[in-house]
Amino acid sequence: MTGEDTGKLVVVGCGAATERFYLPALSARPELASRVLFLDLDMARAAELGARIGAKAVSSLDQAATEGAVAAILATPHHLHHRQALAALDLGMHLLIEKPVTISAGEAREIADKGEATGRLVMVNNNRRLFPAFNAIHALVRSGELGQLTSGEFLDGSEFEWPTVTGFYLTSPEAKGVLLDRGAHTVDIMTWWLGDDLTISEALHDGFAGADATFHLTARTPNGAPIALKFSRLVKLPNSYELVFENGAIRGKIFSWDKYERRGPRGPWTTVSAPGFNPKAYNDFVFKMTDLFLDAVFAGAKAPLTVRDVIPSIALIEQAYAQAIPFSLPWYDEWKAKEQ
Amino acid sequence: MSVPRVFVTGATGFIGGWTVEAMRLSGRYEPVAAVRRWQTAVRIARFGVDMRHCDLLDRSALEQAMTGCEAVVHTAVGDDAVTIQGTRNVMEIARKLGIARVVHLSTISVYGKGEGVFAEDAPLDPGGTDYGVRKIEAEKIALEANCDAMKVIALRPTIVYGPFSSQWTVNFADRIAGGSWGTFGEKGAGTCNLVYVCDVVRAIFAALEADRGFGEAFNVNGPEAITWNSYFERLAHAMGLPPLQPVSAGKAQLKAKLMAPVRSFGKYILSNHRGFMVALLKSSGFAERAIRSVEGGLKRTPTPDQFALYGRKAFFPNDRANATLGYAPQTSVEHGVDLSVKWLKHNCII
């Protein structure tokens, strides 16, 4: 698409995502080492991470542009993405933005519009879109072979183990909670498979005055089929999905990315292997997404996913937060009663 | 009237988390939560409380975090360093900052593993569990810090169960739901000493507000003395399961002994070769099923130490806490178990 073969790349934000994902991904591309810059409010941290691959630290996007940056990876807290993305686009940079891309659909649209207006690529790290099984299911569902959806369920949860450096996930009200964090993947997969015309019929959260850690919602298709989604940062859930259609059903484990199960209207479940990129570790999908971005920017390859593709999921998440009411949690009642 | 600001150590743990939540919900105190690892703060972050990143072994960070608080509830526990030096740091810094009240969470493990009735004047047992020995030392440090300027009260909770209890609620629910758990006859007829976690929080609040009992330790037990078998039966009933069947204690004990080396090996592998295990799980469906099966078996098999606990006839009366602090447990086992099961279901644990 772009073929910027001499410019530099700036990694914005030197927290856990950069250390865990982007640093290893970039270190696997030694030909880029002299063309990578690291940017963070904490310059020492930027210098430390940069030094690991012989890259330079910079103190601002402007300085990065002056140094020749034509592309940026935004790995900052997600409530900062909107402002930083617009600033980077103003400087003519192509972007790969960590998920969730923004905290509202309006912000995501603005980034998409600006990217298109300026002819700059804006990709998002919704890396589950690279799962072979999810691609196979997308093709199957969209083929119409299974008929209309009658019900669905996604269960996505585990204890929060993300090694956040600043704790912003938990301390910043704008960061919201588990729905925006895990939902950025799962709700995106749901809308990708089932369409962008889903609505929210029920949403429940446990964020008393802070970040929700449990979120249950029911989405509905235009014909009224319910899809239950449960998210948790407190406990491990089965991390599974099951969708029942008029002419059959599919189910699988979210992190079994190379296979899913399928049955006919009454038949037994059979395992379907999905061909394609099948690494041993989940992190490899982030490395792959980074490679795809670099190839798109520096070698003119086709981008697999842009910010516009994930706007329906961000819109649905935004709607869910707007509609959400607190769970009834009777184990807290005795303390709440004393407040009155 | 201003609400007292209370520094809570161990705020991301089971009892500390409940303390923070109850303080915030009741509005009686303004909790300031000590957080060592952000990853563990998800639960209390739901309440938008003041969280301060610090480590009990980093005196400078700890002092900064404790500044501005009027009281401390010290629930943090860990290895020797955290439990002992961490307690020393908390007490010394609290004194330095002019903090007037400290409630130290101790444990009945300080009495060791013996049988009988253990009131607060019973001798502490330095030959008990490693945990108990550490807590003896920590409690000693805490109570010795008591003075006119800083009143210290120690609480010794019994078997604390309820929502968020991995040890005494989730583990048993898992085992019961797995279908291989039952009652153990005389081997499960020991005294369970269950106290619902909100009753422990009530004791903490009582200690924060008490006008006496300084420099003393108090047992904090529940309202009913039931057996472990009875606890298992009540939990199964509340979970909507059929009555538990008796399990041959002899067979179960033999299994526990046979599983002991597997348990040790598993701990070693997880501690030293976690990456290899993850790769193995991913590489082969057969390996994953086999490892999960062993893991499930281990979870559902009591260890010899657990068997000793389930058969132990020991009771820890509340009389002193009642007379001095005005503490009285309010949550029946039936109600506490009911709330626990509602929480387990809400979180899809069962």
Side-chain angles (χ1 to χ4, degrees), chain B residues 297-340:
Chain B
L298 285 173
K299 278 185 181 171
R300 291 189 292 273
T301 306
T303 64
D305 281 350
Q306 287 167 346
F307 258 125
L309 175 67
Y310 306 155
R312 180 185 175 205
K313 292 184 171 64
F315 181 65
F316 308 88
N318 272 328
D319 303 352
R320 190 162 163 183
N322 183 267
T324 309
L325 306 178
Y327 162 73
Q330 293 177 19
T331 313
S332 67
V333 173
E334 183 182 0
H335 186 48
V337 167
D338 178 58
L339 289 173
S340 301

Side-chain angles (χ1 to χ4, degrees), chain A residues 128 131-134 137 153-157 186 189 193 236-243 250-262 269 271-272 282 285, chain B residues 282 288-289 292:
Chain A
R128 291 187 196 174
F131 288 5
F134 287 8
I137 291 169
E153 180 182 72
F154 291 83
L155 303 173
D156 183 351
T186 299
I189 295 302
W193 288 351
K236 185 177 181 187
L237 297 181
N239 290 310
S240 61
Y241 55 90
E242 180 164 350
L243 298 173
I250 53 173
R251 71 180 183 187
K253 295 283 188 185
I254 290 174
F255 296 105
S256 294
W257 45 72
D258 59 333
K259 59 181 180 283
Y260 64 99
E261 290 182 284
R262 180 182 175 183
W269 290 101
T271 300
V272 180
Y282 176 75
F285 285 101
Chain B
K282 181 73 189 106
E288 180 178 1
R289 283 192 296 279
R292 298 286 182 219

Side-chain angles (χ1 to χ4, degrees), chain A residues 155 160-168 170-171 206-214 216 230 232-238 255-259 278-281 327-332 334-336 338-339, chain B residues 18 21-28 37-43 45-49 51 53 163-164 196-199 201-202 205 278-279 282-283 292 330-331 335 339-340 342-349:
Chain A
L155 303 173
F160 186 74
E161 280 296 334
W162 184 247
T164 171
V165 175
T166 61
F168 81 91
L170 308 175
T171 56
D206 68 350
F208 288 80
D212 47 278
T214 310
H216 295 179
K230 294 184 177 180
S232 179
R233 275 175 175 170
L234 288 170
V235 295
K236 185 177 181 187
L237 297 181
F255 296 105
S256 294
W257 45 72
D258 59 333
K259 59 181 180 283
N278 180 23
K280 298 286 184 212
F327 284 110
S328 167
L329 303 175
W331 46 94
Y332 289 127
E334 63 178 300
W335 299 108
K336 282 193 270 188
K338 291 192 174 176
E339 200 172 18
Chain B
W18 264 105
E21 292 169 347
M23 284 180 171
R24 170 48 67 93
L25 286 171
S26 68
R28 285 168 66 175
R37 291 173 64 238
W38 287 117
Q39 291 96 314
T40 59
V42 166
R43 177 182 157 196
R46 298 176 303 157
F47 291 80
V49 297
M51 296 189 288
H53 199 230
F164 298 102
Y196 186 66
V197 64
C198 290
D199 281 331
V201 173
R202 253 184 280 284
F205 285 10
V278 171
K282 181 73 189 106
S283 65
R292 298 286 182 219
Q330 293 177 19
T331 313
H335 186 48
L339 289 173
S340 301
K342 284 190 167 86
W343 174 81
L344 289 163
K345 287 181 176 172
H346 171 74
N347 284 290
C348 309
I349 296 170

Side-chain angles (χ1 to χ4, degrees), chain B residues 199-221:
Chain B
D199 281 331
V200 176
V201 173
R202 253 184 280 284
I204 290 170
F205 285 10
L208 282 170
E209 291 160 17
D211 56 6
R212 55 198 166 135
F214 309 130
E216 296 179 38
F218 299 89
N219 292 342
V220 178
N221 204 339

Side-chain angles (χ1 to χ4, degrees), chain B residues 19-348:
Chain B
T19 303
V20 167
E21 292 169 347
M23 284 180 171
R24 170 48 67 93
L25 286 171
S26 68
R28 285 168 66 175
Y29 304 95
E30 183 184 336
V32 175
V35 173
R36 187 171 64 85
R37 291 173 64 238
W38 287 117
Q39 291 96 314
T40 59
V42 166
R43 177 182 157 196
I44 56 171
R46 298 176 303 157
F47 291 80
V49 297
D50 183 356
M51 296 189 288
R52 299 188 183 174
H53 199 230
C54 63
D55 186 322
L56 297 195
L57 300 178
D58 178 345
R59 289 179 63 101
S60 170
L62 185 59
E63 182 172 336
Q64 197 176 355
M66 290 170 69
T67 299
C69 295
E70 290 132 83
V72 173
V73 175
H74 177 42
T75 76
V77 69
D79 58 14
D80 270 2
V82 171
T83 307
I84 297 169
Q85 186 57 40
T87 298
R88 189 173 287 120
N89 289 346
V90 168
M91 298 301 154
E92 289 176 1
I93 292 168
R95 180 77 194 277
K96 179 181 174 187
L97 294 174
I99 290 173
R101 180 68 55 98
V102 178
V103 178
H104 170 78
L105 264 286
S106 186
T107 168
I108 52 161
S109 293
V110 296
Y111 297 116
K113 299 177 180 176
E115 298 203 333
V117 174
F118 294 86
E120 288 83 345
D121 55 1
L124 306 188
D125 182 1
T129 62
D130 291 346
Y131 170 68
V133 171
R134 279 198 293 273
K135 292 296 282 184
I136 288 173
E137 182 66 17
E139 185 187 285
K140 184 166 174 276
I141 291 165
L143 293 178
E144 284 178 358
N146 179 66
C147 61
D148 287 345
M150 186 175 84
K151 313 291 192 195
V152 181
I153 291 174
L155 302 176
R156 295 173 182 162
T158 51
I159 301 293
V160 189
Y161 76 108
F164 298 102
S165 165
S166 299
Q167 192 174 12
W168 305 120
T169 300
V170 175
N171 278 350
F172 289 127
D174 271 346
R175 289 165 161 182
I176 290 168
S180 60
W181 199 253
T183 56
F184 298 95
E186 194 54 31
K187 296 288 182 189
T191 314
C192 190
N193 290 291
L194 276 182
V195 59
Y196 186 66
V197 64
C198 290
D199 281 331
V200 176
V201 173
R202 253 184 280 284
I204 290 170
F205 285 10
L208 282 170
E209 291 160 17
D211 56 6
R212 55 198 166 135
F214 309 130
E216 296 179 38
F218 299 89
N219 292 342
V220 178
N221 204 339
E224 297 162 64
I226 65 168
T227 65
W228 285 94
N229 284 334
S230 174
Y231 178 41
F232 303 150
E233 285 169 337
R234 290 172 192 225
L235 198 50
H237 177 72
M239 289 163 67
L241 297 172
L244 292 178
Q245 297 302 305
V247 173
S248 160
K251 276 187 186 170
Q253 277 188 303
L254 178 62
K255 194 175 171 190
K257 282 182 184 165
L258 292 173
M259 292 294 252
V262 180
R263 198 181 297 274
S264 302
F265 181 68
K267 277 185 184 169
Y268 169 79
I269 290 288
L270 279 177
S271 300
N272 297 286
H273 303 286
R274 181 176 287 273
F276 168 74
M277 282 299 288
V278 171
L280 186 64
L281 285 170
K282 181 73 189 106
S283 65
S284 156
F286 174 75
E288 180 178 1
R289 283 192 296 279
I291 290 167
R292 298 286 182 219
S293 170
V294 171
E295 186 186 20
L298 285 173
K299 278 185 181 171
R300 291 189 292 273
T301 306
T303 64
D305 281 350
Q306 287 167 346
F307 258 125
L309 175 67
Y310 306 155
R312 180 185 175 205
K313 292 184 171 64
F315 181 65
F316 308 88
N318 272 328
D319 303 352
R320 190 162 163 183
N322 183 267
T324 309
L325 306 178
Y327 162 73
Q330 293 177 19
T331 313
S332 67
V333 173
E334 183 182 0
H335 186 48
V337 167
D338 178 58
L339 289 173
S340 301
V341 170
K342 284 190 167 86
W343 174 81
L344 289 163
K345 287 181 176 172
H346 171 74
N347 284 290
C348 309

